[in-house]
Amino acid sequence: MAGRKPPRKTKASPARTAALDALSQVRERRAFAQDVISHTIDTSHMKPEDRAFATRLVLGVTSSWGILDEVINKFLDDPRDISPSVRDALRLSAYEIIFLGKHPHAAVDQGVELVKSVAPPAAGLSNAVLRKIVAERSEFPYGDPSTDIDALARACAFPGWLARVLVNDLGPEAAVNLMRASNEQAPLFVAINGAKGGEDIVRRGFEKAGEPVEPVCIDGVEVPGCLRVLDPRALLLPEMKRLLGTGRILVSDAASQLVAASILPDEKPESLLEIGAGRATKTILIQGDAVRKYGSQIEQYVTLDNKEFKTKLLTKRVKEFGVCVSEALTGDALDLAGALGERAFDMVFLDAPCSGLGTLRRHPEIRWRIGPADIISFAQNQLAMLKQASAHVAPGGTLAYATCTVTRAEDNAVVKAFLESPEGSDFSLVPIAGAACISTQLVPEPPKERAERAGKRVLTATGPSQDFDPEIGNANRFDDAMALMGSPDAHFAVRFVRAEPAGQS
């Protein structure tokens, strides 16, 4: 990265050194950890096991840095006593000590070496801090998680305010499930591109590569064209790269695929407006599902996003995937008239910007980058966007609203407020995927099943976990499984229908 100082020689392991560099980039650029990993660790010359360990460290620290800072600050006279680069190194070692249960001597020794690589004068202070963390690690999470919500938040590596929101909105059991599952590695799903057909070609490709895949059902509803890939490394094989490169498959979470398939009405719409189209993932999914449902793509398909670079990327991707987009617009979803005038569509889909709390396995930094005020702001904007979108739905047309979050304020409350508003007075909810709404839940895989699938050998990045109980798991650990079989992400979606004018049907 331009402008970065060359690293000092260090006795720290290659995986830890790479993880520290990646964490520094995440902090300095406010980047997404997964993006930094893909451009640094994934392209490195480290051994596969070192890349796996470095990835685990980056995602783990990114998930838990607020809790790690709380622990580190306990043993500093002033949090400002250490520089940001030293704090990066201490976070990494504290994560190993607290959440991975690494051997204290190794964790402290490697942590001091990491500090020496960025700020040698701080090595003594860092050594003292890490030893104090080791001495007190049996006290973590400083309370009983079953009765103390702050202790529960620490154990699950969540901000206390967010743990309270989740418990209040979801109930204790679902909230704990979401928090624990958010610290697991996300499973891999791919979508077969219905716009290009040839589903048999895709399935034969996986068979030829010797890679098992499974169809996916969510809450009893089969997700068309969705496959769970049991080994993520499969996508590195030449046959899989050909399928990706030719646009026959794309990577997309199963819940996102379910939303795309379920928003379409029974009769093919002549026109569709997608608001918040982004990089075209939903666009590709929806048009592929249109082919499955109606036999052809929707000819008048208009997309809108507020970022011009995303519109350009969408235009490029839809061509690669053989998807029809008649117009790709850049505009403000809070001022649709500016981009659309008075145009009306048979269907309007608002894929609303949201807090993204249903995708924390893929974007772990979100939990530490938002606050209570952001939830309120998202909800206000979502309602305003939904009202704007409703003005462009033709009589008898369909309006769909979706998020990838779980808060009541952004999901149910927005729907209720819209229906009670003047703009929503002509609309009524209709079933989607056989229910009133799509509301997928993020659930951790039961440790016993995970252990059985992995042959009773649950892997960490450096070997088997020594303190894993297959009956109860490691409640406060982040354990990998050999096969990724967790739940899809948590998404929400509803469908409205606009009433026909009186006297028409």
Side-chain angles (χ1 to χ4, degrees):
M1 178 179 175
R4 295 183 66 83
K5 294 181 180 179
R8 294 182 175 90
K9 290 184 178 180
T10 178
K11 295 180 181 178
S13 70
R16 291 180 176 90
T17 302
L20 178 59
D21 179 67
L23 288 167
S24 297
Q25 292 189 45
V26 170
R27 171 180 53 78
E28 292 169 357
R29 296 162 40 200
R30 285 187 63 82
F32 287 115
Q34 293 280 15
D35 292 342
V36 173
I37 288 168
S38 67
H39 290 102
T40 57
I41 293 170
D42 287 350
T43 59
S44 73
H45 297 293
M46 289 188 292
K47 298 176 182 178
E49 56 268 30
D50 287 335
R51 287 200 299 271
F53 187 35
T55 297
R56 181 172 184 175
L57 290 174
V58 173
L59 294 179
V61 172
T62 304
S63 298
S64 56
W65 77 52
I67 304 303
L68 299 174
D69 281 351
E70 179 184 353
V71 174
I72 291 167
N73 291 344
K74 280 170 58 71
F75 305 110
L76 293 171
D77 292 335
D78 188 320
R80 295 170 295 184
D81 286 346
I82 56 175
S83 68
S85 58
V86 170
R87 185 172 290 275
D88 289 336
L90 289 180
R91 285 172 175 167
L92 197 155
S93 293
Y95 171 74
E96 289 195 67
I97 294 166
I98 294 168
F99 288 108
L100 293 186
K102 290 294 181 183
H103 189 280
H105 176 77
V108 172
D109 179 68
Q110 286 288 291
V112 172
E113 291 299 328
L114 288 172
V115 171
K116 287 180 179 178
S117 74
V118 295
L125 174 61
S126 299
N127 180 61
V129 168
L130 291 175
R131 290 186 181 281
K132 290 176 181 177
I133 292 173
V134 168
E136 277 202 14
R137 70 174 175 172
S138 62
E139 303 297 319
F140 186 85
Y142 314 123
D144 182 355
S146 66
T147 58
D148 181 346
I149 195 166
D150 289 315
L152 173 64
R154 293 186 194 101
C156 295
F158 267 68
W161 74 266
L162 183 52
R164 287 176 170 81
V165 168
L166 294 173
V167 169
N168 182 67
D169 287 2
L170 306 178
E173 182 178 358
V176 170
N177 280 340
L178 183 142
M179 288 190 284
R180 288 182 174 170
S182 294
N183 297 320
E184 295 179 350
Q185 189 172 354
L188 175 64
F189 301 96
V190 298
I192 301 174
N193 180 12
K196 288 204 170 183
E199 295 200 9
D200 289 343
I201 294 174
V202 172
R203 294 178 187 276
R204 284 199 301 270
F206 278 100
E207 290 176 5
K208 182 179 178 181
E211 293 297 333
V213 293
E214 296 178 349
V216 177
C217 286
I218 300 177
D219 296 331
V221 178
E222 183 174 354
V223 184
C226 181
L227 298 175
R228 183 194 295 268
V229 182
L230 301 186
D231 186 349
R233 295 171 297 181
L235 297 189
L236 300 176
L237 298 174
E239 184 66 27
M240 299 301 102
K241 287 183 176 180
R242 279 193 291 273
L243 293 174
L244 287 164
T246 56
R248 290 196 177 274
I249 61 173
L250 72 157
V251 176
S252 174
D253 184 77
S256 180
Q257 294 185 51
L258 175 64
V259 169
S262 302
I263 60 172
L264 293 171
D266 292 336
E267 294 186 11
K268 181 180 178 181
E270 292 187 7
S271 59
L272 187 152
L273 169 65
E274 181 187 355
I275 303 169
R279 300 174 60 252
T281 297
K282 284 272 188 11
T283 312
I284 297 164
L285 293 173
I286 291 169
Q287 285 286 47
D289 287 316
V291 173
R292 293 187 181 93
K293 192 177 184 74
Y294 312 124
S296 61
Q297 295 188 47
I298 299 165
E299 288 79 12
Q300 296 181 49
Y301 196 112
V302 179
T303 63
L304 182 137
D305 198 272
N306 66 338
K307 302 292 186 183
E308 186 173 356
F309 80 90
K310 288 187 178 180
T311 302
K312 291 179 179 178
L313 179 58
L314 177 145
T315 303
K316 178 175 181 289
R317 289 193 81 206
V318 295
K319 289 180 180 178
E320 294 171 349
F321 282 86
V323 164
C324 169
V325 169
S326 54
E327 294 179 76
L329 306 176
T330 301
D332 185 356
L334 293 172
D335 180 25
L336 288 178
L340 299 169
E342 297 182 359
R343 293 170 67 181
F345 298 81
D346 293 334
M347 178 172 181
V348 175
F349 171 43
L350 172 60
D351 199 7
C354 66
S355 58
L357 295 174
T359 66
L360 289 176
R361 294 175 302 187
R362 306 173 198 281
H363 305 295
E365 54 282 303
I366 289 175
R367 72 189 83 179
W368 300 108
R369 290 183 178 175
I370 64 171
D374 294 299
I375 303 295
I376 296 171
S377 178
F378 277 122
Q380 291 172 340
N381 284 332
Q382 289 155 355
L383 178 58
M385 290 179 184
L386 194 53
K387 290 178 178 179
Q388 285 279 318
S390 69
H392 296 274
V393 180
T398 299
L399 172 61
Y401 171 76
T403 73
C404 56
T405 193
V406 297
T407 66
R408 185 184 301 153
E410 298 175 84
D411 293 341
N412 302 73
V414 168
V415 172
K416 184 174 185 291
F418 171 68
L419 289 172
E420 293 175 349
S421 71
E423 294 86 351
S425 61
D426 289 341
F427 290 83
S428 58
L429 283 172
V430 294
I432 181 170
C437 66
I438 290 174
S439 184
T440 58
Q441 302 295 310
L442 196 58
V443 180
E445 185 178 19
K448 185 175 182 180
E449 293 180 13
R450 190 188 325 158
E452 289 173 351
R453 184 174 294 108
K456 296 292 185 181
R457 182 174 182 267
V458 175
L459 299 182
T460 65
T462 55
S465 171
Q466 299 301 312
D467 54 352
F468 179 79
D469 182 339
E471 294 299 326
I472 61 172
N474 289 340
N476 299 331
R477 305 275 195 261
F478 301 95
D479 286 294
D480 297 327
M482 293 176 68
L484 303 179
M485 296 294 288
S487 70
D489 288 342
H491 285 241
F492 175 85
V494 293
R495 288 197 309 172
F496 309 90
V497 169
R498 186 168 200 168
E500 297 273 10
Q504 296 187 21
S505 59

